[in-house]
Amino acid sequence: MIGIQRKIWTLTAIVMFIMASIWIMLTYYNQKTQDQYNEILQRYLIMNEVTTASRQTVNALNIYLLTPTEGNLSSLRRGEQQLRDAQSSVGVLRNEENDFALTSYMNLIDSLIETTDRSVMFKSERETEESSKAFAEATRISRYISEMTLQLIDIELNTYERFYRSIIEQAEELKKLGIWILLAITFGLLLFTYWFSLSITRPVQQLTKAAQELAKGKFERQIVVNSSDEISFLATTFERMRVNINNLILEMKEKARLKSELQQSQLLLQESQLRSLQSQINPHFLFNILDTLSKKAFLEGAEETSDLLVSVAGLLRYNLKRLDRAVTLYDEVRVMRQYMEIQSARFTERLNLVTQIDERCLSVQMPGLTLQPIVENAVIHAIEPAEDGGTITVTIADAGDHVTVEIADDGPGMNEEKIIGILEERDMQPEGHSTGIGFGNVVRRLRLFYGISDVIEIHSGQGRGVRVLLKLPKTRRSDTYDKAIDRG
């Protein structure tokens, strides 16, 4: 959220940045022009320095010839060295316009130094006349140097005359550019200020209009304010207040409507509850009836019927338990045998059950109703369709940190698509006379109970039967199963 204060600071920063940019630009161009002027002036000073150094050299030579002492000779040498330094500085001023004149200028400087040295040499050899001639020659060369300096300066003036004019034109253009920049910046700032003021006043106007609507009792229209500052927060608060008031009004209307309908529906509700109670059949009452019938059959000598009723009652009692409760493998084996006793009464010799059970493994915990649905699946798909029936083998063995439970049949087998559907916990349509606990539900509850995914394997092939292998850990790794059931 960008606050109003921050917007003001942003506007100030933008204005200051524009002003600083203009000042830096003008300063840069001014400094550039000044540097160009200084460069030209420096060229003139260097040429003038050659003239001065040549005159000082001639004066020092004259003093030495009049008074040939070591001090005067040293002064003469210093003058010559200054002349050589000035000559080196002049060399960098060469360009296409002054190339020939500057070459002659450099030669004159060399001739002056050479003539001065020759005059000193004649003086040391006491050849006064030759020394005087050399001095006169040096004086004449010095005058040539002065005249040549004026010529070079004149050449420089002619060369940079166009530059002077371009600087004047550039200054005029810069002045015009400054005026246009000032006008453009002024126009831009006016537009920006207008936009900036709208970003503050427009949300205020929208909020004012919304407040007027609320004052008129219109709570249905949503408050929308296009802003990203404190006004947006205020608008959000207004919107929440509108929603709360509108919800309160709707709630009061709904309560009034429900109150009017409540009295009308009470009689119908009581009648519906009575009919519901009349239509219910208590499963525990059915269990007691089956228990009574089994005892009566036993007393009448129908022992097989009595055993069958006991198995049905036991299976019903076990199914009355909640599926979310953990049971032992012993309980699962017992209810599986009761189920097989019931199916044996149905299929007689067609159904053969073979068990190989390690009794030491029956204390391991597992979710309820796990083995019976798997065996039931084998009965429906392997035993029931076959004219000669078949065999179901149940093997329970200790495998170290887990117990293996293998349920195998010799039926026609299961296709790969159905195996994948079961392992992916898809909801499969129950087939045959099923009790309603699907195979996919068994897989889902096993994985949730133990907290692992590789708790079950299914192996089959066309005509090779089905082999279901359960790997039940002796210690549960997760309590997710219990928590999930407790929540719902």
Side-chain angles (χ1 to χ4, degrees):
M1 182 176 67
I2 303 177
I4 297 176
Q5 185 179 14
R6 186 175 178 182
K7 288 182 178 179
I8 295 175
W9 279 110
T10 302
L11 176 61
T12 305
I14 291 174
V15 174
M16 294 184 64
F17 174 77
I18 293 174
M19 294 175 61
S21 299
I22 295 174
W23 179 79
I24 292 173
M25 181 182 67
L26 294 177
T27 303
Y28 169 75
Y29 280 110
N30 184 44
Q31 185 64 39
K32 184 177 179 181
T33 303
Q34 185 177 353
D35 291 341
Q36 292 173 342
Y37 273 119
N38 291 336
E39 182 181 355
I40 297 172
L41 180 61
Q42 189 66 27
R43 297 171 69 92
Y44 297 154
L45 292 176
I46 291 174
M47 294 179 183
N48 187 62
E49 185 179 351
V50 173
T51 301
T52 303
S54 65
R55 290 175 180 176
Q56 290 177 353
T57 302
V58 172
N59 290 334
L61 177 61
N62 184 36
I63 294 172
Y64 174 74
L65 294 178
L66 295 176
T67 309
T69 62
E70 289 296 328
N72 293 334
L73 183 59
S74 298
S75 297
L76 176 60
R77 297 305 180 193
R78 285 195 298 271
E80 290 179 346
Q81 185 60 43
Q82 291 178 358
L83 188 58
R84 290 191 181 93
D85 294 338
Q87 182 186 29
S88 300
S89 300
V90 170
V92 301
L93 305 180
R94 188 182 302 274
N95 54 41
E96 295 181 357
E97 302 292 335
N98 63 7
D99 182 64
F100 178 77
L102 192 62
T103 302
S104 301
Y105 194 62
M106 300 287 283
N107 293 334
L108 284 175
I109 295 173
D110 291 335
S111 299
L112 177 59
I113 296 173
E114 181 182 352
T115 304
T116 302
D117 291 340
R118 190 167 62 252
S119 177
V120 172
M121 181 187 66
F122 287 145
K123 182 65 177 179
S124 63
E125 294 176 357
R126 300 182 183 276
E127 295 182 5
T128 306
E129 185 177 356
E130 294 296 330
S131 177
S132 298
K133 290 181 180 180
F135 173 75
E137 180 68 17
T139 302
R140 185 174 57 83
I141 293 174
S142 177
R143 287 197 300 269
Y144 288 161
I145 290 175
S146 299
E147 294 174 358
M148 185 62 71
T149 300
L150 294 176
Q151 293 180 8
L152 286 173
I153 291 176
D154 185 62
I155 293 174
E156 292 289 324
L157 289 174
N158 292 330
T159 301
Y160 288 96
E161 181 181 3
R162 293 188 301 272
F163 172 71
Y164 295 144
R165 293 180 179 177
S166 66
I167 289 178
I168 295 173
E169 293 175 357
Q170 186 177 6
E172 291 295 330
E173 293 296 329
L174 187 61
K175 185 185 298 183
K176 294 180 182 178
L177 178 63
I179 294 174
W180 281 110
I181 291 176
L182 181 62
L183 292 175
I185 292 174
T186 302
F187 181 73
L189 286 177
L190 287 175
L191 289 179
F192 183 79
T193 304
Y194 175 73
W195 170 83
F196 178 77
S197 62
L198 280 182
S199 67
I200 298 176
T201 57
R202 185 187 293 115
V204 174
Q205 293 173 356
Q206 293 175 345
L207 190 60
T208 302
K209 184 177 180 181
Q212 292 173 351
E213 294 291 331
L214 292 179
K216 295 178 182 179
K218 299 179 180 179
F219 297 97
E220 298 81 10
R221 184 176 301 176
Q222 184 179 3
I223 299 176
V224 179
V225 174
N226 299 320
S227 178
S228 59
D229 49 29
E230 292 83 356
I231 300 177
S232 175
F233 176 77
L234 185 60
T236 302
T237 306
F238 260 75
E239 173 64 14
R240 291 177 181 173
M241 181 184 69
R242 181 197 67 82
V243 171
N244 292 335
I245 294 176
N246 193 41
N247 289 340
L248 182 60
I249 294 175
L250 293 177
E251 184 178 353
M252 293 175 64
K253 291 181 179 179
E254 183 67 16
K255 285 183 178 179
R257 185 184 64 82
L258 291 176
K259 186 176 180 180
S260 64
E261 295 178 357
L262 181 61
Q263 296 177 350
Q264 300 177 4
S265 61
Q266 283 181 346
L267 185 60
L268 294 176
L269 179 61
Q270 292 176 358
E271 184 180 354
S272 175
Q273 290 175 345
L274 179 60
R275 291 180 178 177
S276 176
L277 288 173
Q278 290 175 346
S279 64
Q280 289 180 355
I281 299 177
N282 195 324
H284 293 281
F285 177 70
L286 292 178
F287 167 75
N288 293 331
I289 290 177
L290 289 174
D291 187 55
T292 302
L293 291 175
S294 67
K295 291 179 180 179
K296 183 174 177 60
F298 180 78
L299 292 175
E300 292 177 352
E303 296 183 0
E304 292 184 4
T305 303
S306 175
D307 293 340
L308 181 60
L309 289 173
V310 169
S311 297
V312 173
L315 186 60
L316 177 61
R317 181 195 297 272
Y318 193 79
N319 278 276
L320 289 177
K321 296 181 181 180
R322 291 178 59 189
L323 296 181
D324 59 318
R325 300 305 181 194
V327 298
T328 62
L329 183 56
Y330 173 82
D331 297 328
E332 282 292 290
V333 170
R334 179 171 54 83
V335 76
M336 178 199 69
R337 283 174 170 166
Q338 290 177 342
Y339 172 78
M340 292 301 293
E341 288 176 1
I342 297 172
Q343 295 298 334
S344 295
R346 177 186 174 192
F347 293 102
T348 62
E349 298 87 7
R350 292 175 58 202
L351 175 61
N352 183 27
L353 175 65
V354 179
T355 59
Q356 298 177 3
I357 300 175
D358 187 349
E359 300 291 336
R360 297 171 300 175
C361 302
L362 298 182
S363 61
V364 65
Q365 287 191 334
M366 63 188 303
L369 283 179
T370 298
L371 299 185
Q372 183 262 326
I374 299 177
V375 174
E376 181 180 53
N377 185 77
V379 171
I380 293 174
H381 294 90
I383 306 301
E384 186 174 352
E387 183 178 351
D388 297 331
T391 301
I392 297 176
T393 304
V394 179
T395 305
I396 299 177
D398 191 341
D401 60 344
H402 64 276
V403 173
T404 60
V405 178
E406 182 180 301
I407 301 173
D409 62 62
D410 55 358
M414 186 184 300
N415 60 52
E416 187 69 20
E417 181 180 356
K418 189 171 183 179
I419 293 176
I420 294 175
I422 293 173
L423 294 179
E424 291 181 354
E425 305 176 15
R426 299 175 189 169
D427 293 331
M428 311 295 288
Q429 186 68 26
E431 301 179 18
H433 304 287
S434 171
T435 58
I437 306 297
F439 209 150
N441 182 273
V442 172
V443 176
R444 185 182 306 112
R445 289 189 295 115
L446 279 171
R447 290 173 176 171
L448 185 61
F449 186 86
Y450 294 109
I452 55 178
S453 59
D454 59 343
V455 70
I456 184 171
E457 296 178 3
I458 302 176
H459 303 279
S460 181
Q462 200 66 27
R464 295 192 292 110
V466 178
R467 185 170 65 90
V468 179
L469 180 64
L470 305 181
K471 294 182 287 185
L472 310 179
K474 295 181 179 179
T475 303
R476 291 176 63 183
R477 302 180 186 177
S478 172
D479 58 354
T480 307
Y481 182 81
D482 298 330
K483 292 181 180 179
I485 299 299
D486 291 341
R487 288 195 297 267

